[in-house]
Amino acid sequence: METGEGLALAKAPDAIFGLCATDSGVFLSTLGGSLFHYTHGEPIRLLLKLDCPLYKVSYSRGILCAIDQKGRYWESDNFQDWSHTQVHGGSLRGMFGSEDQLMLSGAQGQIFERRGHDWISYTDGSNETIYSLIVSAETLITAGKDAQIRDWKKEQDGWNVKQSVPAHMNAIYALSLSHDGEFLLSASRDRSFKIWKASDLELLKVMDVSKSKEAHSRSVNYAQWLDNRRFITAGDDGQIKLWDWVPA
């Protein structure tokens, strides 16, 4: 299995914590509370500036969404006018949005599922911050400060943890599923990203500075599959890198 060298695409003015690649370009959220839009060959454009870190950004159905350190969920349909909702008393760190579902995660092992105008909360029992979550069919996958990846199942009483796997040496900041659902990508404060078999969390690949000079020199805070082979990563070094994945 091979992972192609990380091609540097752009550099943000400060540490990148959230990234969303779309047909409309790349949206970046940063530790300094800025939300940027980047299109290849164009200057990075500032869309929103807050007085606290913006941890995640998502773009779906014409709505740009972001979450911040003060527990607020932000959205805009024109990149200029913003509204926000107070979801959590602590920091919000993870976000997953699809056509019919929106879920957030935060401190004390909590996840929040939006149902109409209400937010329903669940906990993983760890009391540690959940930094990332993804949903596929009836399965939820989360990861966070305790460096474990957790597999949840939806049951009659809601979401419940079914499996927990020690995955990194430090906090896991991002998870992403390949478009065919076969591979799971994780990015960590330990300066590495890893590729897993999604069905059983078998480890397939580790990438850090000991494996390639093109790897991130500091914490890897975000990772996103672009298709079933290519993905991008970003982190504290401000670099956005493009990778090719060739499974065995």
Side-chain angles (χ1 to χ4, degrees), residues 154-187:
K154 195 167 190 179
E155 299 175 335
Q156 271 193 327
D157 61 344
W159 293 99
N160 293 291
V161 177
K162 294 303 178 184
Q163 181 185 14
S164 183
V165 176
H168 281 267
M169 298 298 292
N170 211 322
I172 301 169
Y173 286 145
L175 297 171
S176 180
L177 270 179
S178 59
H179 290 202
D180 59 10
E182 287 192 30
F183 303 113
L184 176 69
L185 182 62
S186 61

PDB file of all heavy atoms in Angstrom, residues 154-187:
ATOM      1  N   LYS A 154     -27.024   2.776  16.468  1.00  0.00           N
ATOM      2  CA  LYS A 154     -28.295   3.405  16.816  1.00  0.00           C
ATOM      3  C   LYS A 154     -29.294   2.335  17.231  1.00  0.00           C
ATOM      4  O   LYS A 154     -29.571   1.400  16.474  1.00  0.00           O
ATOM      5  CB  LYS A 154     -28.835   4.221  15.646  1.00  0.00           C
ATOM      6  CG  LYS A 154     -29.949   5.167  16.051  1.00  0.00           C
ATOM      7  CD  LYS A 154     -30.244   6.186  14.968  1.00  0.00           C
ATOM      8  CE  LYS A 154     -31.173   7.277  15.479  1.00  0.00           C
ATOM      9  NZ  LYS A 154     -31.458   8.296  14.444  1.00  0.00           N
ATOM     10  N   GLU A 155     -29.826   2.481  18.439  1.00  0.00           N
ATOM     11  CA  GLU A 155     -30.789   1.537  18.973  1.00  0.00           C
ATOM     12  C   GLU A 155     -32.054   2.286  19.377  1.00  0.00           C
ATOM     13  O   GLU A 155     -32.154   3.492  19.169  1.00  0.00           O
ATOM     14  CB  GLU A 155     -30.160   0.792  20.158  1.00  0.00           C
ATOM     15  CG  GLU A 155     -28.908   0.006  19.734  1.00  0.00           C
ATOM     16  CD  GLU A 155     -28.194  -0.649  20.896  1.00  0.00           C
ATOM     17  OE1 GLU A 155     -28.338  -0.160  22.041  1.00  0.00           O
ATOM     18  OE2 GLU A 155     -27.501  -1.649  20.657  1.00  0.00           O
ATOM     19  N   GLN A 156     -33.003   1.567  19.981  1.00  0.00           N
ATOM     20  CA  GLN A 156     -34.283   2.195  20.326  1.00  0.00           C
ATOM     21  C   GLN A 156     -34.134   3.381  21.256  1.00  0.00           C
ATOM     22  O   GLN A 156     -34.854   4.378  21.139  1.00  0.00           O
ATOM     23  CB  GLN A 156     -35.212   1.150  20.977  1.00  0.00           C
ATOM     24  CG  GLN A 156     -36.061   0.400  19.957  1.00  0.00           C
ATOM     25  CD  GLN A 156     -37.171  -0.378  20.650  1.00  0.00           C
ATOM     26  OE1 GLN A 156     -37.001  -0.862  21.761  1.00  0.00           O
ATOM     27  NE2 GLN A 156     -38.303  -0.514  19.985  1.00  0.00           N
ATOM     28  N   ASP A 157     -33.183   3.290  22.191  1.00  0.00           N
ATOM     29  CA  ASP A 157     -32.997   4.368  23.156  1.00  0.00           C
ATOM     30  C   ASP A 157     -31.989   5.420  22.683  1.00  0.00           C
ATOM     31  O   ASP A 157     -31.587   6.293  23.451  1.00  0.00           O
ATOM     32  CB  ASP A 157     -32.564   3.806  24.510  1.00  0.00           C
ATOM     33  CG  ASP A 157     -31.240   3.052  24.434  1.00  0.00           C
ATOM     34  OD1 ASP A 157     -30.820   2.699  23.312  1.00  0.00           O
ATOM     35  OD2 ASP A 157     -30.627   2.831  25.492  1.00  0.00           O
ATOM     36  N   GLY A 158     -31.560   5.348  21.424  1.00  0.00           N
ATOM     37  CA  GLY A 158     -30.619   6.311  20.867  1.00  0.00           C
ATOM     38  C   GLY A 158     -29.283   5.693  20.525  1.00  0.00           C
ATOM     39  O   GLY A 158     -29.187   4.497  20.230  1.00  0.00           O
ATOM     40  N   TRP A 159     -28.205   6.498  20.561  1.00  0.00           N
ATOM     41  CA  TRP A 159     -26.876   6.035  20.186  1.00  0.00           C
ATOM     42  C   TRP A 159     -26.137   5.445  21.390  1.00  0.00           C
ATOM     43  O   TRP A 159     -26.123   6.034  22.461  1.00  0.00           O
ATOM     44  CB  TRP A 159     -26.056   7.190  19.621  1.00  0.00           C
ATOM     45  CG  TRP A 159     -26.551   7.710  18.310  1.00  0.00           C
ATOM     46  CD1 TRP A 159     -27.332   8.804  18.090  1.00  0.00           C
ATOM     47  CD2 TRP A 159     -26.288   7.154  17.019  1.00  0.00           C
ATOM     48  NE1 TRP A 159     -27.578   8.969  16.748  1.00  0.00           N
ATOM     49  CE2 TRP A 159     -26.944   7.965  16.066  1.00  0.00           C
ATOM     50  CE3 TRP A 159     -25.566   6.037  16.568  1.00  0.00           C
ATOM     51  CZ2 TRP A 159     -26.913   7.707  14.699  1.00  0.00           C
ATOM     52  CZ3 TRP A 159     -25.521   5.788  15.209  1.00  0.00           C
ATOM     53  CH2 TRP A 159     -26.188   6.609  14.284  1.00  0.00           C
ATOM     54  N   ASN A 160     -25.497   4.256  21.179  1.00  0.00           N
ATOM     55  CA  ASN A 160     -24.733   3.589  22.232  1.00  0.00           C
ATOM     56  C   ASN A 160     -23.398   3.093  21.693  1.00  0.00           C
ATOM     57  O   ASN A 160     -23.320   2.604  20.552  1.00  0.00           O
ATOM     58  CB  ASN A 160     -25.520   2.407  22.799  1.00  0.00           C
ATOM     59  CG  ASN A 160     -26.766   2.845  23.553  1.00  0.00           C
ATOM     60  OD1 ASN A 160     -26.676   3.432  24.617  1.00  0.00           O
ATOM     61  ND2 ASN A 160     -27.937   2.584  22.968  1.00  0.00           N
ATOM     62  N   VAL A 161     -22.331   3.216  22.499  1.00  0.00           N
ATOM     63  CA  VAL A 161     -20.985   2.779  22.104  1.00  0.00           C
ATOM     64  C   VAL A 161     -20.913   1.252  22.102  1.00  0.00           C
ATOM     65  O   VAL A 161     -21.297   0.602  23.074  1.00  0.00           O
ATOM     66  CB  VAL A 161     -19.917   3.349  23.054  1.00  0.00           C
ATOM     67  CG1 VAL A 161     -18.538   2.820  22.682  1.00  0.00           C
ATOM     68  CG2 VAL A 161     -19.932   4.876  23.009  1.00  0.00           C
ATOM     69  N   LYS A 162     -20.386   0.681  21.004  1.00  0.00           N
ATOM     70  CA  LYS A 162     -20.261  -0.778  20.874  1.00  0.00           C
ATOM     71  C   LYS A 162     -18.809  -1.237  20.855  1.00  0.00           C
ATOM     72  O   LYS A 162     -18.502  -2.364  21.216  1.00  0.00           O
ATOM     73  CB  LYS A 162     -20.959  -1.247  19.584  1.00  0.00           C
ATOM     74  CG  LYS A 162     -22.463  -1.053  19.601  1.00  0.00           C
ATOM     75  CD  LYS A 162     -23.103  -1.772  20.778  1.00  0.00           C
ATOM     76  CE  LYS A 162     -24.601  -1.560  20.846  1.00  0.00           C
ATOM     77  NZ  LYS A 162     -25.196  -2.186  22.045  1.00  0.00           N
ATOM     78  N   GLN A 163     -17.879  -0.376  20.424  1.00  0.00           N
ATOM     79  CA  GLN A 163     -16.468  -0.761  20.310  1.00  0.00           C
ATOM     80  C   GLN A 163     -15.588   0.464  20.525  1.00  0.00           C
ATOM     81  O   GLN A 163     -15.920   1.564  20.085  1.00  0.00           O
ATOM     82  CB  GLN A 163     -16.184  -1.364  18.928  1.00  0.00           C
ATOM     83  CG  GLN A 163     -14.751  -1.829  18.724  1.00  0.00           C
ATOM     84  CD  GLN A 163     -14.490  -2.312  17.296  1.00  0.00           C
ATOM     85  OE1 GLN A 163     -15.293  -2.076  16.398  1.00  0.00           O
ATOM     86  NE2 GLN A 163     -13.384  -2.996  17.097  1.00  0.00           N
ATOM     87  N   SER A 164     -14.470   0.274  21.223  1.00  0.00           N
ATOM     88  CA  SER A 164     -13.517   1.352  21.441  1.00  0.00           C
ATOM     89  C   SER A 164     -12.114   0.826  21.153  1.00  0.00           C
ATOM     90  O   SER A 164     -11.712  -0.206  21.689  1.00  0.00           O
ATOM     91  CB  SER A 164     -13.614   1.851  22.886  1.00  0.00           C
ATOM     92  OG  SER A 164     -12.755   2.927  23.102  1.00  0.00           O
ATOM     93  N   VAL A 165     -11.352   1.559  20.294  1.00  0.00           N
ATOM     94  CA  VAL A 165     -10.029   1.108  19.857  1.00  0.00           C
ATOM     95  C   VAL A 165      -8.982   2.180  20.150  1.00  0.00           C
ATOM     96  O   VAL A 165      -9.111   3.316  19.685  1.00  0.00           O
ATOM     97  CB  VAL A 165     -10.030   0.804  18.337  1.00  0.00           C
ATOM     98  CG1 VAL A 165      -8.641   0.435  17.853  1.00  0.00           C
ATOM     99  CG2 VAL A 165     -11.020  -0.307  18.021  1.00  0.00           C
ATOM    100  N   PRO A 166      -7.912   1.867  20.926  1.00  0.00           N
ATOM    101  CA  PRO A 166      -6.801   2.812  21.085  1.00  0.00           C
ATOM    102  C   PRO A 166      -6.153   3.047  19.724  1.00  0.00           C
ATOM    103  O   PRO A 166      -5.722   2.106  19.070  1.00  0.00           O
ATOM    104  CB  PRO A 166      -5.847   2.088  22.039  1.00  0.00           C
ATOM    105  CG  PRO A 166      -6.682   1.036  22.700  1.00  0.00           C
ATOM    106  CD  PRO A 166      -7.706   0.630  21.688  1.00  0.00           C
ATOM    107  N   ALA A 167      -6.077   4.311  19.279  1.00  0.00           N
ATOM    108  CA  ALA A 167      -5.720   4.563  17.879  1.00  0.00           C
ATOM    109  C   ALA A 167      -4.480   5.427  17.681  1.00  0.00           C
ATOM    110  O   ALA A 167      -3.758   5.254  16.697  1.00  0.00           O
ATOM    111  CB  ALA A 167      -6.905   5.210  17.158  1.00  0.00           C
ATOM    112  N   HIS A 168      -4.215   6.371  18.562  1.00  0.00           N
ATOM    113  CA  HIS A 168      -3.082   7.292  18.415  1.00  0.00           C
ATOM    114  C   HIS A 168      -2.400   7.482  19.762  1.00  0.00           C
ATOM    115  O   HIS A 168      -2.893   7.031  20.804  1.00  0.00           O
ATOM    116  CB  HIS A 168      -3.551   8.646  17.872  1.00  0.00           C
ATOM    117  CG  HIS A 168      -3.798   8.660  16.400  1.00  0.00           C
ATOM    118  ND1 HIS A 168      -2.843   9.031  15.469  1.00  0.00           N
ATOM    119  CD2 HIS A 168      -4.921   8.361  15.683  1.00  0.00           C
ATOM    120  CE1 HIS A 168      -3.354   8.968  14.251  1.00  0.00           C
ATOM    121  NE2 HIS A 168      -4.617   8.563  14.349  1.00  0.00           N
ATOM    122  N   MET A 169      -1.264   8.188  19.745  1.00  0.00           N
ATOM    123  CA  MET A 169      -0.516   8.477  20.959  1.00  0.00           C
ATOM    124  C   MET A 169      -1.005   9.765  21.638  1.00  0.00           C
ATOM    125  O   MET A 169      -0.641  10.043  22.780  1.00  0.00           O
ATOM    126  CB  MET A 169       0.983   8.614  20.646  1.00  0.00           C
ATOM    127  CG  MET A 169       1.599   7.354  20.084  1.00  0.00           C
ATOM    128  SD  MET A 169       1.507   5.964  21.237  1.00  0.00           S
ATOM    129  CE  MET A 169       2.634   6.538  22.513  1.00  0.00           C
ATOM    130  N   ASN A 170      -1.812  10.543  20.928  1.00  0.00           N
ATOM    131  CA  ASN A 170      -2.336  11.792  21.476  1.00  0.00           C
ATOM    132  C   ASN A 170      -3.718  12.036  20.867  1.00  0.00           C
ATOM    133  O   ASN A 170      -4.198  11.226  20.070  1.00  0.00           O
ATOM    134  CB  ASN A 170      -1.374  12.954  21.187  1.00  0.00           C
ATOM    135  CG  ASN A 170      -1.403  14.030  22.253  1.00  0.00           C
ATOM    136  OD1 ASN A 170      -2.459  14.359  22.789  1.00  0.00           O
ATOM    137  ND2 ASN A 170      -0.236  14.587  22.573  1.00  0.00           N
ATOM    138  N   ALA A 171      -4.340  13.136  21.228  1.00  0.00           N
ATOM    139  CA  ALA A 171      -5.711  13.429  20.812  1.00  0.00           C
ATOM    140  C   ALA A 171      -5.924  13.277  19.305  1.00  0.00           C
ATOM    141  O   ALA A 171      -5.068  13.645  18.503  1.00  0.00           O
ATOM    142  CB  ALA A 171      -6.083  14.848  21.233  1.00  0.00           C
ATOM    143  N   ILE A 172      -7.086  12.730  18.938  1.00  0.00           N
ATOM    144  CA  ILE A 172      -7.488  12.598  17.536  1.00  0.00           C
ATOM    145  C   ILE A 172      -8.410  13.766  17.210  1.00  0.00           C
ATOM    146  O   ILE A 172      -9.465  13.933  17.821  1.00  0.00           O
ATOM    147  CB  ILE A 172      -8.216  11.268  17.283  1.00  0.00           C
ATOM    148  CG1 ILE A 172      -7.317  10.088  17.645  1.00  0.00           C
ATOM    149  CG2 ILE A 172      -8.675  11.176  15.825  1.00  0.00           C
ATOM    150  CD1 ILE A 172      -8.037   8.753  17.690  1.00  0.00           C
ATOM    151  N   TYR A 173      -8.022  14.579  16.230  1.00  0.00           N
ATOM    152  CA  TYR A 173      -8.769  15.789  15.901  1.00  0.00           C
ATOM    153  C   TYR A 173      -9.734  15.623  14.725  1.00  0.00           C
ATOM    154  O   TYR A 173     -10.641  16.434  14.559  1.00  0.00           O
ATOM    155  CB  TYR A 173      -7.800  16.934  15.602  1.00  0.00           C
ATOM    156  CG  TYR A 173      -7.128  17.516  16.819  1.00  0.00           C
ATOM    157  CD1 TYR A 173      -5.813  17.979  16.765  1.00  0.00           C
ATOM    158  CD2 TYR A 173      -7.806  17.622  18.027  1.00  0.00           C
ATOM    159  CE1 TYR A 173      -5.193  18.530  17.880  1.00  0.00           C
ATOM    160  CE2 TYR A 173      -7.195  18.161  19.144  1.00  0.00           C
ATOM    161  CZ  TYR A 173      -5.890  18.616  19.067  1.00  0.00           C
ATOM    162  OH  TYR A 173      -5.292  19.156  20.176  1.00  0.00           O
ATOM    163  N   ALA A 174      -9.526  14.607  13.884  1.00  0.00           N
ATOM    164  CA  ALA A 174     -10.382  14.494  12.698  1.00  0.00           C
ATOM    165  C   ALA A 174     -10.539  13.046  12.253  1.00  0.00           C
ATOM    166  O   ALA A 174      -9.615  12.235  12.386  1.00  0.00           O
ATOM    167  CB  ALA A 174      -9.813  15.317  11.543  1.00  0.00           C
ATOM    168  N   LEU A 175     -11.713  12.763  11.714  1.00  0.00           N
ATOM    169  CA  LEU A 175     -12.032  11.481  11.091  1.00  0.00           C
ATOM    170  C   LEU A 175     -12.684  11.757   9.737  1.00  0.00           C
ATOM    171  O   LEU A 175     -13.393  12.744   9.577  1.00  0.00           O
ATOM    172  CB  LEU A 175     -13.013  10.672  11.941  1.00  0.00           C
ATOM    173  CG  LEU A 175     -12.587  10.228  13.337  1.00  0.00           C
ATOM    174  CD1 LEU A 175     -13.780   9.641  14.077  1.00  0.00           C
ATOM    175  CD2 LEU A 175     -11.450   9.207  13.255  1.00  0.00           C
ATOM    176  N   SER A 176     -12.459  10.862   8.769  1.00  0.00           N
ATOM    177  CA  SER A 176     -13.123  10.990   7.476  1.00  0.00           C
ATOM    178  C   SER A 176     -13.249   9.617   6.839  1.00  0.00           C
ATOM    179  O   SER A 176     -12.324   8.804   6.917  1.00  0.00           O
ATOM    180  CB  SER A 176     -12.325  11.917   6.546  1.00  0.00           C
ATOM    181  OG  SER A 176     -12.961  12.056   5.291  1.00  0.00           O
ATOM    182  N   LEU A 177     -14.392   9.350   6.212  1.00  0.00           N
ATOM    183  CA  LEU A 177     -14.628   8.092   5.490  1.00  0.00           C
ATOM    184  C   LEU A 177     -14.430   8.305   3.998  1.00  0.00           C
ATOM    185  O   LEU A 177     -14.871   9.313   3.443  1.00  0.00           O
ATOM    186  CB  LEU A 177     -16.056   7.600   5.710  1.00  0.00           C
ATOM    187  CG  LEU A 177     -16.369   6.677   6.883  1.00  0.00           C
ATOM    188  CD1 LEU A 177     -17.865   6.352   6.883  1.00  0.00           C
ATOM    189  CD2 LEU A 177     -15.557   5.388   6.824  1.00  0.00           C
ATOM    190  N   SER A 178     -13.765   7.337   3.337  1.00  0.00           N
ATOM    191  CA  SER A 178     -13.667   7.390   1.879  1.00  0.00           C
ATOM    192  C   SER A 178     -15.072   7.302   1.288  1.00  0.00           C
ATOM    193  O   SER A 178     -16.005   6.820   1.947  1.00  0.00           O
ATOM    194  CB  SER A 178     -12.790   6.248   1.357  1.00  0.00           C
ATOM    195  OG  SER A 178     -13.323   4.986   1.730  1.00  0.00           O
ATOM    196  N   HIS A 179     -15.243   7.748   0.073  1.00  0.00           N
ATOM    197  CA  HIS A 179     -16.570   7.845  -0.508  1.00  0.00           C
ATOM    198  C   HIS A 179     -17.266   6.495  -0.659  1.00  0.00           C
ATOM    199  O   HIS A 179     -18.492   6.427  -0.639  1.00  0.00           O
ATOM    200  CB  HIS A 179     -16.498   8.567  -1.864  1.00  0.00           C
ATOM    201  CG  HIS A 179     -16.184  10.024  -1.725  1.00  0.00           C
ATOM    202  ND1 HIS A 179     -16.485  10.950  -2.697  1.00  0.00           N
ATOM    203  CD2 HIS A 179     -15.599  10.734  -0.716  1.00  0.00           C
ATOM    204  CE1 HIS A 179     -16.100  12.151  -2.306  1.00  0.00           C
ATOM    205  NE2 HIS A 179     -15.558  12.042  -1.114  1.00  0.00           N
ATOM    206  N   ASP A 180     -16.498   5.417  -0.797  1.00  0.00           N
ATOM    207  CA  ASP A 180     -17.108   4.085  -0.882  1.00  0.00           C
ATOM    208  C   ASP A 180     -17.293   3.453   0.501  1.00  0.00           C
ATOM    209  O   ASP A 180     -17.796   2.336   0.622  1.00  0.00           O
ATOM    210  CB  ASP A 180     -16.287   3.159  -1.777  1.00  0.00           C
ATOM    211  CG  ASP A 180     -14.846   2.980  -1.304  1.00  0.00           C
ATOM    212  OD1 ASP A 180     -14.519   3.410  -0.176  1.00  0.00           O
ATOM    213  OD2 ASP A 180     -14.034   2.410  -2.062  1.00  0.00           O
ATOM    214  N   GLY A 181     -16.888   4.164   1.549  1.00  0.00           N
ATOM    215  CA  GLY A 181     -17.071   3.676   2.911  1.00  0.00           C
ATOM    216  C   GLY A 181     -16.085   2.614   3.361  1.00  0.00           C
ATOM    217  O   GLY A 181     -16.200   2.082   4.467  1.00  0.00           O
ATOM    218  N   GLU A 182     -15.065   2.316   2.543  1.00  0.00           N
ATOM    219  CA  GLU A 182     -14.128   1.236   2.872  1.00  0.00           C
ATOM    220  C   GLU A 182     -13.025   1.668   3.827  1.00  0.00           C
ATOM    221  O   GLU A 182     -12.553   0.874   4.650  1.00  0.00           O
ATOM    222  CB  GLU A 182     -13.502   0.673   1.590  1.00  0.00           C
ATOM    223  CG  GLU A 182     -14.437  -0.168   0.759  1.00  0.00           C
ATOM    224  CD  GLU A 182     -13.700  -0.942  -0.324  1.00  0.00           C
ATOM    225  OE1 GLU A 182     -12.521  -1.286  -0.108  1.00  0.00           O
ATOM    226  OE2 GLU A 182     -14.307  -1.193  -1.363  1.00  0.00           O
ATOM    227  N   PHE A 183     -12.579   2.915   3.741  1.00  0.00           N
ATOM    228  CA  PHE A 183     -11.420   3.348   4.513  1.00  0.00           C
ATOM    229  C   PHE A 183     -11.759   4.528   5.423  1.00  0.00           C
ATOM    230  O   PHE A 183     -12.482   5.445   5.038  1.00  0.00           O
ATOM    231  CB  PHE A 183     -10.270   3.737   3.580  1.00  0.00           C
ATOM    232  CG  PHE A 183      -9.866   2.634   2.646  1.00  0.00           C
ATOM    233  CD1 PHE A 183     -10.078   2.764   1.283  1.00  0.00           C
ATOM    234  CD2 PHE A 183      -9.295   1.475   3.127  1.00  0.00           C
ATOM    235  CE1 PHE A 183      -9.721   1.749   0.411  1.00  0.00           C
ATOM    236  CE2 PHE A 183      -8.935   0.444   2.271  1.00  0.00           C
ATOM    237  CZ  PHE A 183      -9.144   0.577   0.911  1.00  0.00           C
ATOM    238  N   LEU A 184     -11.200   4.481   6.633  1.00  0.00           N
ATOM    239  CA  LEU A 184     -11.353   5.544   7.614  1.00  0.00           C
ATOM    240  C   LEU A 184     -10.012   6.233   7.801  1.00  0.00           C
ATOM    241  O   LEU A 184      -8.979   5.578   7.955  1.00  0.00           O
ATOM    242  CB  LEU A 184     -11.826   4.958   8.949  1.00  0.00           C
ATOM    243  CG  LEU A 184     -11.945   5.940  10.122  1.00  0.00           C
ATOM    244  CD1 LEU A 184     -13.106   6.902   9.883  1.00  0.00           C
ATOM    245  CD2 LEU A 184     -12.133   5.186  11.434  1.00  0.00           C
ATOM    246  N   LEU A 185     -10.027   7.551   7.767  1.00  0.00           N
ATOM    247  CA  LEU A 185      -8.819   8.361   7.930  1.00  0.00           C
ATOM    248  C   LEU A 185      -8.894   9.075   9.274  1.00  0.00           C
ATOM    249  O   LEU A 185      -9.929   9.640   9.623  1.00  0.00           O
ATOM    250  CB  LEU A 185      -8.765   9.369   6.782  1.00  0.00           C
ATOM    251  CG  LEU A 185      -7.590  10.327   6.653  1.00  0.00           C
ATOM    252  CD1 LEU A 185      -6.285   9.582   6.441  1.00  0.00           C
ATOM    253  CD2 LEU A 185      -7.848  11.295   5.498  1.00  0.00           C
ATOM    254  N   SER A 186      -7.803   9.039  10.052  1.00  0.00           N
ATOM    255  CA  SER A 186      -7.757   9.751  11.332  1.00  0.00           C
ATOM    256  C   SER A 186      -6.542  10.670  11.362  1.00  0.00           C
ATOM    257  O   SER A 186      -5.484  10.335  10.841  1.00  0.00           O
ATOM    258  CB  SER A 186      -7.710   8.770  12.506  1.00  0.00           C
ATOM    259  OG  SER A 186      -6.552   7.956  12.460  1.00  0.00           O
ATOM    260  N   ALA A 187      -6.690  11.842  11.991  1.00  0.00           N
ATOM    261  CA  ALA A 187      -5.605  12.820  12.090  1.00  0.00           C
ATOM    262  C   ALA A 187      -5.426  13.198  13.553  1.00  0.00           C
ATOM    263  O   ALA A 187      -6.409  13.388  14.278  1.00  0.00           O
ATOM    264  CB  ALA A 187      -5.936  14.063  11.264  1.00  0.00           C
TER     265      ALA A 187
END
